[in-house]
Amino acid sequence: QLQLVESGGGLVQPGGSLRLSCAASGIIFSRNAMGWYRQAPGKQREWVATITSSGSTNYADSVKGRFTISRDNAKNTVYLQMNSLKPEDTAVYYCNARGLSSSWTNVDSWGQGTQVTVSS
């Protein structure tokens, strides 16, 4: 069964750090590009970062230099290390997988999201 499960969200003060995790099942993890998106209240979902199957990374300008995306193919998990957090980073963060499922069908799937709140 295809599933993406995010964890690691919470409340943090401005300037603090959090690490989000997304555990994947039901996909050929090494054959998927993994991404993080976020959606703040009243706003559209926006792209945050992507890591390709080969490990190349890209970031939105708003998080470049503060966030780091990484993946552990042995654990079928993608991470988002978030440093120097700002109140404007407050959002629900979603994990996305694009590639191949375990049954070799195309995948474009989302997790349920994890809340990140940056506030003093």
Side-chain angles (χ1 to χ4, degrees):
Q1 181 181 358
L2 196 158
Q3 198 172 15
L4 300 174
V5 180
E6 300 100 332
S7 61
L11 173 64
V12 63
Q13 292 186 341
S17 298
L18 281 175
R19 188 175 83 153
L20 306 183
S21 300
C22 172
S25 58
I27 64 172
I28 304 173
F29 188 77
S30 62
R31 299 291 295 271
N32 276 261
M34 302 298 296
W36 288 97
Y37 292 71
R38 66 186 181 186
Q39 187 167 18
K43 295 187 177 181
Q44 289 188 332
R45 189 173 297 187
E46 65 174 0
W47 168 70
V48 174
T50 298
I51 184 165
T52 68
S53 57
S54 61
S56 298
T57 59
N58 280 290
Y59 299 92
D61 288 343
S62 59
V63 306
K64 202 172 293 183
R66 300 188 298 121
F67 291 10
T68 302
I69 189 171
S70 61
R71 64 191 296 159
D72 185 336
N73 287 348
K75 295 182 178 180
N76 285 6
T77 300
V78 62
Y79 305 97
L80 186 67
Q81 177 67 44
M82 305 185 296
N83 299 328
S84 302
L85 282 161
K86 305 175 181 180
E88 51 263 43
D89 295 318
T90 295
V92 178
Y93 283 71
Y94 296 91
C95 176
N96 173 261
R98 291 180 183 167
L100 292 175
S101 73
S102 297
S103 56
W104 291 84
T105 57
N106 290 331
V107 164
D108 185 355
S109 293
W110 298 87
Q112 82 290 347
T114 186
Q115 176 70 47
V116 172
T117 302
V118 184
S119 175
S120 54

